[in-house]
Amino acid sequence: MKVRRVQDADAAGRRIKSEGWDSVRLLLKNDNMGFSFHITTIYRDANLHLHYQNHLESVYCMSGRGEVETVEDGKVYPIEPGTIYILDKNDKHILRAFEEMKMACVFNPPLHGKEVHNAEGAYPLDAEEVKD
């Protein structure tokens, strides 16, 4: 069994920061679970253009408010605590935060740990691994 606390993971270098967000990566590829699990903060007024071409993602909102828009059809979905959105078709999307949002995120295949979005809004498959 593995037990991790967000505070400990943060102190161990598992927090990744980028423009508009930061993410504490609690479970990664080297944990051998087949998925990764992160607590991500989307900063107020963030407007993130994302397209996870290599990963499927599920995102659960724990706090804050915003919206997600699917680029293909222009549909906009409100996000508030208790909302989950599932990117099951590598959906190109825009995530907007009206206030800071805390999200629980699951990725398949799992992330290595050091990923940040590339120019297309995707994570690469071969990023640097976080060591325990």
Side-chain angles (χ1 to χ4, degrees), residues 48-89:
L48 306 175
H49 293 252
L50 306 169
H51 185 196
Y52 296 121
Q53 300 157 7
N54 303 312
H55 299 86
L56 301 176
E57 183 191 26
S58 294
V59 181
Y60 177 79
C61 179
M62 299 182 299
S63 67
R65 300 197 185 288
E67 66 184 18
V68 63
E69 177 181 348
T70 49
V71 172
E72 183 178 325
D73 60 13
K75 289 185 180 177
V76 177
Y77 303 90
I79 298 173
E80 60 186 26
T83 302
I84 188 171
Y85 66 91
I86 300 103
L87 301 165
D88 61 338
K89 295 179 179 62

